[in-house]
Amino acid sequence: MNNGAWRYDRLLFCTLLTALITLPLVARADTAAEFVGYYQNAYAEGRDLIPGPQTPLDISSIASRLDLQTVGPEAALSGSAFLSADGAVIKLAGVQGCLSTEPMEFAGVQTTCAMISLAGMTATLDEAKEGAGDAFPCHVFAQNPGRPAVRFAECFFVENGVVRSLSEALIRKGLAFAARDRAGRPVFPEYLQAEEAARGEQAGIWGNGQLTHPYGERYPVNSSTN
């Protein structure tokens, strides 16, 4: 891993550490913070509380009938989902956060793969909001009713004048994985290419030589992507 990548990983871990230290105090302030804390703490323990879609996702709709909605992210809930300003949960359809709680070294610090994915979502959301005025467009494939509503979407932001997928950015930095369907096929083939590139460069969590793929025996599949 080069020095630039190591510095990014170190900064990412510090972001996570700060969030985990302040979260218990903030969570007492209001219901929204308690909700965020509940989901984040569960994810740090290797449990993703966000349910899967109640109806099959029409992935082709993103190319055939793109319908973008402006979303203002409030806080990361997991390695692949965040709370929006209107109180809905936005679950990224193309990305799978890591759920392993096995100890691993990251940026010279002992942590877990789940914690890295959670921190990665937090840091990447902050980066995306910087260039979008605290909001960015998302294409919603489907929504589970209830409270909170869960919207399955792909979101986009502008980086250096180029439109990027939030899912692809997480995967390319080695902070999460390309989501697969029940048959093991990538939901978006181009995200698998991003995952393979990150793995080849040992970016993010791929820098740990003991890491195995999240769909193997040690890393449970997140049913929300199935």
Side-chain angles (χ1 to χ4, degrees):
M1 183 183 298
N2 60 42
N3 290 335
W6 189 91
R7 285 195 295 270
Y8 177 83
D9 289 348
R10 187 76 182 183
L11 177 61
L12 180 62
F13 184 82
C14 291
T15 300
L16 171 63
L17 185 62
T18 301
L20 292 179
I21 291 173
T22 59
L23 183 60
L25 299 176
V26 175
R28 300 190 186 101
D30 57 61
T31 302
E34 290 175 358
F35 176 84
V36 170
Y38 180 69
Y39 274 71
Q40 287 188 347
N41 289 332
Y43 194 81
E45 295 171 356
R47 297 181 293 121
D48 192 341
L49 302 181
I50 300 169
Q54 295 180 1
T55 58
L57 302 182
D58 180 10
I59 299 300
S60 66
S61 65
I62 199 168
S64 60
R65 50 183 184 279
L66 186 64
D67 182 17
L68 297 176
Q69 303 176 19
T70 300
V71 172
E74 288 292 318
L77 299 177
S78 72
S80 58
F82 61 90
L83 180 68
S84 67
D86 65 358
V89 172
I90 307 298
K91 170 69 174 71
L92 299 176
V95 68
Q96 162 74 54
C98 190
L99 285 170
S100 171
T101 57
E102 293 286 334
M104 63 180 291
E105 184 174 313
F106 183 79
V109 180
Q110 285 295 313
T111 182
T112 68
C113 196
M115 301 270 277
I116 294 167
S117 273
L118 180 58
M121 174 61 84
T122 298
T124 306
L125 282 176
D126 287 344
E127 291 175 8
K129 289 193 297 182
E130 278 186 16
D134 290 336
F136 44 68
C138 295
H139 173 78
V140 178
F141 299 103
Q143 176 174 311
N144 287 354
R147 298 184 63 184
V150 180
R151 298 173 189 154
F152 301 89
E154 281 298 286
C155 300
F156 305 91
F157 66 102
V158 176
E159 183 179 59
N160 298 324
V162 178
V163 176
R164 294 194 65 191
S165 156
L166 186 61
S167 293
E168 187 272 339
L170 288 164
I171 297 165
R172 189 64 183 80
K173 293 175 182 177
L175 304 172
F177 309 92
R180 269 81 163 172
D181 60 19
R182 289 184 181 275
R185 297 181 298 259
V187 175
F188 294 99
E190 59 269 32
Y191 294 171
L192 180 58
Q193 295 175 14
E195 180 184 293
E196 291 172 345
R199 186 172 188 171
E201 296 173 8
Q202 295 186 320
I205 54 182
W206 293 112
N208 184 284
Q210 298 179 344
L211 178 72
T212 58
H213 199 278
Y215 302 96
E217 185 177 359
R218 291 178 57 203
Y219 295 78
V221 174
N222 179 355
S223 61
S224 66
T225 63
N226 297 336

